[in-house]
Amino acid sequence: MAPGVRPDDHVIVLFGATGDLARRKLLPGLFHLSVSGLLPERYRIIGSAPASLSLSDDEFRQKAHDAVAEFGNTPPTGETWDHFAGALSFGAADPSDCSPLLAALARAESEIGGSPRRLYHLAVPPVAFTSVISMLGAAGLAPGSRIIVEKPFGTDLASARALNQAIHAVFEESQIFRIDHFLGKESVDNILAFRFGNGIFEPIWNREHVGYVQIDVPETLSIEGRAAFYEETGAFRDMVVTHLLQVLGFVAMEPPSSVNAKSLREERLKVFEAMPPLEVEHVVRGQYEGYRSEPGVRPDSDTETFVALRARVDNWRWHGVPFYLRTGKCMGESRQVVTLGFHQPPLRMFAVHTTDAGGHRGNELVIDFQDPGSITTEFLAKEPGPHMRLGEAKMEFRYESSFASAYQLEGYERLIHDAMIGDQSLFTGSDAIERLWEISTPLLEHPLPVEPYQKGSWGPDSIRHLVAPHPWHLPERTGDRRPPGGPDPAARG
């Protein structure tokens, strides 16, 4: 059994239980929590979907078995699976008739006994959010319960405000858990541990020592047949507001008074409030070549599959330090990296030997938050020999070789557990969501045309000028780093 808090007895209702998210993440994740001893001692999981997609209990158990077998990290066999499968049932629900769900809830609570908590997970398309929430309110199912809401939390400031208003009409803010699986990663948590648990790092985590910050999440995947979603969303709405800016909040926040939900959320909100509106001239929108030929994509589509931008945090700690954010589809690698670049020493006393075509890049602290995660410090050290010549060196911490991997939870697993125990530390409040859409308004109202980029590259060539005079940390491969104006390795034959 993994160390951690075991939740109170629960009935978990999984709306959208027949969908892709439930199949790939939620059902395998719930089973892993059960195996790890992090589900309640007594619990029931009710799958729900519209009546047109209704399943019998046995059909839902089989669907869960197949999902865990394909995407889980623990085989669905033996007593552990039998115990989990015995807790599964199904109850269809439509806004006009949720009686099957009500009957399933009554059976589940009777089987558990006492007064179990209720947790609703909305793994449904955004257009269904308000109807499901209204149904829960009309059926009297909201008091005392908690609700997990999936992204996107709106598509602009007006829609985010409307969605928050609809949720708040039924649930209090303390009941709402807006989930972002990025924030459930061990390495995002480790940003807090690294900064505030070690006296050697926090004193240099500011504008006096840090020259730039990069949050880089390239993906090799294409839109994978999701044209209907992606054409209405694009890379900025899909990734930047929901994921990258949330990570920025952890990187840039002031020390909280304690590591609890109230303090952490307050400090992240202060970061967002200190950010001026994003400037269109400091944004690059890209579209990979061939995107307009994807099934379901408009022939003249201006939807971005790539975005890079420069943001600012105008407070005492970060004034003048640029924050560079980049994400895109069909790029050179799939990575999730935070890089802090430190100022160069005032005097160049030593010769530096480097095999990097872009030249020496200076000291960097690199946090790789793609599971299992790592933290790397890049610095200069004297090379062996009679001459005082420096070479590039690294010190690295890796999760997979430093701690027991059996205790590791995926982002969704960690956050579902946090929702069950009522810990909102890693969830986003309504005020933070609305503030991020507010600073994004200039980009949404006046988007620049998309620039083409090759599949397998690192985005449009103009991203070099966005970060000048600094280099992008990625790609890391020797010879691929290039100074502004240098040759584009993606264009080499």
Side-chain angles (χ1 to χ4, degrees), residues 54-207:
S54 183
L55 303 173
S56 69
D57 291 351
D58 286 340
E59 287 172 334
F60 180 50
R61 291 179 185 124
Q62 184 61 50
K63 184 174 285 288
H65 180 278
D66 295 345
V68 173
E70 185 175 0
F71 298 105
N73 54 17
T74 304
T77 58
E79 292 183 5
T80 54
W81 173 255
D82 292 341
H83 176 74
F84 181 78
L88 301 178
S89 62
F90 198 89
D94 287 305
S96 59
D97 181 17
C98 62
S99 55
L101 174 59
L102 292 174
L105 267 170
R107 286 195 303 271
E109 292 179 344
S110 176
E111 290 167 358
I112 292 174
S115 301
R117 289 188 174 275
R118 294 174 182 169
L119 175 66
Y120 310 116
H121 194 136
L122 268 61
V124 298
V127 295
F129 283 174
T130 54
S131 62
V132 174
I133 290 165
S134 298
M135 179 189 70
L136 292 172
L141 298 177
S145 62
R146 298 180 179 126
I147 185 167
I148 296 176
V149 181
E150 286 285 342
K151 76 175 185 76
F153 315 118
T155 57
D156 54 21
L157 180 57
S159 61
R161 284 174 172 166
L163 178 58
N164 283 329
Q165 184 176 8
I167 300 175
H168 288 152
V170 179
F171 293 91
E172 299 290 335
E173 182 65 25
S174 60
Q175 298 174 271
I176 304 167
F177 294 75
R178 297 171 187 82
I179 194 167
D180 172 8
H181 68 275
F182 268 45
L183 300 189
K185 293 174 175 289
E186 291 283 2
S187 291
V188 173
D189 244 9
N190 211 32
I191 295 173
L192 300 180
F194 188 76
R195 282 187 62 187
F196 304 129
N198 299 285
I200 63 174
F201 298 115
E202 176 56 25
I204 61 172
W205 207 275
N206 55 54
R207 60 187 169 87

Side-chain angles (χ1 to χ4, degrees), residues 213-273:
V213 179
Q214 294 176 10
I215 302 174
D216 210 351
V217 185
E219 298 179 284
T220 57
L221 299 174
S222 69
I223 62 171
E224 295 188 300
R226 300 166 65 219
F229 166 79
Y230 214 79
E231 276 289 271
E232 298 300 321
T233 306
F236 182 81
R237 288 181 169 94
D238 184 38
M239 292 292 294
V240 175
V241 175
T242 305
H243 296 317
L244 274 66
L245 286 173
Q246 300 291 343
V247 174
L248 185 153
F250 274 93
V251 173
M253 66 188 289
E254 293 297 315
S257 57
S258 63
V259 186
N260 60 35
K262 182 176 183 294
S263 296
L264 289 172
R265 286 164 65 123
E266 284 178 352
E267 295 304 332
R268 296 209 310 273
L269 178 59
K270 289 177 184 177
V271 172
F272 303 146
E273 289 177 337

Side-chain angles (χ1 to χ4, degrees), residues 381-387 389:
K382 181 187 177 299
E383 292 184 343
H387 303 292
R389 188 170 67 166

Side-chain angles (χ1 to χ4, degrees), residues 6 15 25 62 71 78 82-83 106 122 126 133 221 293 364 374 427 463 471 473 487 492:
R6 193 158 198 171
F15 291 99
K25 291 292 184 182
Q62 184 61 50
F71 298 105
D82 292 341
H83 176 74
L122 268 61
I133 290 165
L221 299 174
S293 300
E364 288 184 336
S374 65
F427 296 85
I463 64 169
H473 176 78
R492 293 199 295 259

Side-chain angles (χ1 to χ4, degrees), residues 223 226-228 230-231 287-288 290-303:
I223 62 171
R226 300 166 65 219
Y230 214 79
E231 276 289 271
Q287 187 183 89
Y288 65 78
Y291 172 76
R292 294 176 183 177
S293 300
E294 297 271 10
V297 173
R298 300 186 302 272
D300 60 347
S301 173
D302 195 51
T303 299

